[in-house]
């Protein structure tokens, strides 16, 4: 459930709301500087190159370089702060999950394979790490790029901006239509990964028993079947 996942992450992220907001603001400023740089690039071509005005070209070139430097610095600074915040959030999540697993009954551990629990503490946490350190920053860049670009286009050429919006609608509708299937495939991948890790953990822990009863080929077949299912 995406809503439940967002609520779960918000429980830990709200503790670091200040630095998280600062990182997103820096990333938005980085995106804004790129858009202004593109705008001044157009001005340099129209007012400088086409008119062969060296003075105008130099003026706009300096402005573009300054904006690009701001973009690089703001992007690096924002991603650095976001990475540090993500590390703290993930540390809190790991500690909370470990404490939760310690409070579970013996019946729970009898029903759940060891590999599945390890997957929750490693693979799923890595997914959250990728979200905070990579996906979130790219998402903010994309959102602000779209918003600022549309605002700029509407201010200079409203009919063209509407054509761009209408031309983008099929892609948006396609993403919306396939999102449910993508989530379903991701859940399936997570389930199969948990099963694969569970078998790997059980077979390695019980290697003495497998060898005593000559079940090496049987365990290899079971592991190969699960691995093949994950590949498909």
């Amino acid at each position: 459930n995406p809503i439940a996942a967002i609520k779960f992450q918000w429980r830990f992220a709200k503790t670091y709301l200040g630095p998280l907001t600062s990182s997103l603001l820096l990333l938005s400023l980085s995106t804004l500087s790129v858009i202004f740089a593109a705008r001044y690039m157009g001005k340099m071509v129209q007012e400088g190159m086409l008119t062969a005005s060296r003075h105008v070209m130099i003026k706009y070139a300096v402005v573009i370089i300054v904006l690009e430097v701001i973009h690089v610095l703001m992007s690096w600074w924002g991603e650095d702060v976001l990475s540090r915040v993500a590390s703290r959030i993930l540390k809190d999540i790991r500690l909370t999950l470990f404490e939760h697993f310690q409070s579970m009954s013996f019946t729970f551990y009898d029903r759940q394979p060891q590999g599945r629990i390890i997957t929750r503490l490693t693979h799923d946490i890595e997914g959250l790490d990728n979200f905070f350190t990579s996906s979130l920053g790219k998402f903010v860049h994309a959102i602000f790029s779209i918003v600022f670009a549309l605002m700029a286009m509407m201010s200079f050429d409203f009919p063209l901006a509407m054509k761009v919006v209408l031309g983008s609608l099929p892609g948006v509708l396609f993403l919306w239509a396939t999102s449910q299937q993508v989530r379903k495939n991701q859940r399936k991948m997570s389930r199969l990964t948990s099963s694969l890790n569970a078998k790997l953990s059980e077979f390695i822990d019980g290697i003495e028993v497998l060898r005593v009863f000559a079940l090496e080929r049987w365990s290899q077949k079971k592991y190969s079947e699960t691995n093949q299912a994950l590949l498909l």
Side-chain angles (χ1 to χ4, degrees):
N1 188 349
I3 302 300
I6 293 174
K7 288 182 179 179
F8 175 79
Q9 295 174 43
W10 175 248
R11 284 174 48 198
F12 300 91
K14 64 183 180 181
T15 306
Y16 306 99
L17 188 59
L20 187 61
T21 303
S22 300
S23 66
L24 298 181
L25 180 60
L26 290 170
L27 292 175
S28 66
L29 291 176
S30 170
T31 304
L32 188 61
S33 65
V34 170
I35 293 176
F36 274 110
R39 175 57 184 165
Y40 281 111
M41 180 70 73
K43 283 181 171 292
M44 184 176 69
V45 172
Q46 293 176 353
E47 301 176 14
M49 293 183 178
L50 295 180
T51 60
S53 176
R54 185 176 180 181
H55 172 73
V56 174
M57 284 191 292
I58 293 175
K59 180 183 70 173
Y60 283 126
V62 171
V63 174
I64 292 170
I65 292 173
V66 171
L67 288 172
E68 289 294 341
V69 170
I70 292 174
H71 161 65
V72 172
L73 292 177
M74 293 296 102
S75 180
W76 172 81
W77 193 4
E79 291 179 1
D80 180 67
V81 174
L82 187 60
S83 177
R84 294 176 185 273
V85 173
S87 298
R88 296 175 184 176
I89 293 174
L90 294 175
K91 180 203 69 174
D92 295 343
I93 292 177
R94 288 192 184 98
L95 291 175
T96 302
L97 288 178
F98 187 75
E99 182 179 356
H100 175 71
F101 281 127
Q102 285 184 319
S103 65
M104 300 302 290
S105 63
F106 289 113
T107 306
F108 169 80
Y109 289 100
D110 290 336
R111 294 195 310 265
Q112 298 293 329
Q114 181 181 355
R116 184 173 298 171
I117 298 174
I118 297 300
T119 299
R120 291 290 181 267
L121 290 171
T122 55
H123 181 267
D124 292 352
I125 296 298
E126 288 176 2
L128 290 176
D129 187 16
N130 291 331
F131 168 74
F132 280 109
T133 58
S134 178
S135 300
L136 184 58
K138 292 179 180 178
F139 177 75
V140 172
H141 271 300
I143 291 297
F144 279 101
S145 295
I146 293 172
V147 172
F148 291 149
L150 283 176
M151 291 174 60
M153 284 192 295
M154 287 181 179
S155 62
F156 292 106
D157 195 334
F158 187 80
L160 177 61
M162 289 297 97
K163 291 178 182 178
V164 172
V165 171
L166 293 176
S168 303
L169 285 180
V172 174
L173 293 175
F174 175 78
L175 291 175
W176 177 80
T178 57
S179 61
Q180 186 64 32
Q181 184 62 38
V182 170
R183 284 197 295 268
K184 187 182 297 184
N185 291 338
Q186 288 177 338
R187 293 192 195 101
K188 181 181 178 182
M189 291 289 291
S190 179
R191 185 175 67 254
L192 290 173
T193 302
S194 298
S195 178
L196 187 68
N197 289 337
K199 283 183 170 56
L200 181 62
S201 177
E202 291 169 357
F203 291 158
I204 291 178
D205 288 343
I207 189 66
E208 295 87 355
V209 177
L210 292 174
R211 288 184 175 177
V212 167
F213 290 97
L215 294 175
E216 293 91 344
R217 291 186 179 277
W218 173 84
S219 62
Q220 184 178 1
K221 179 182 177 182
K222 291 294 183 182
Y223 184 78
S224 179
E225 289 174 352
T226 306
N227 199 23
Q228 184 65 26
L230 182 60
L231 176 63
L232 298 176

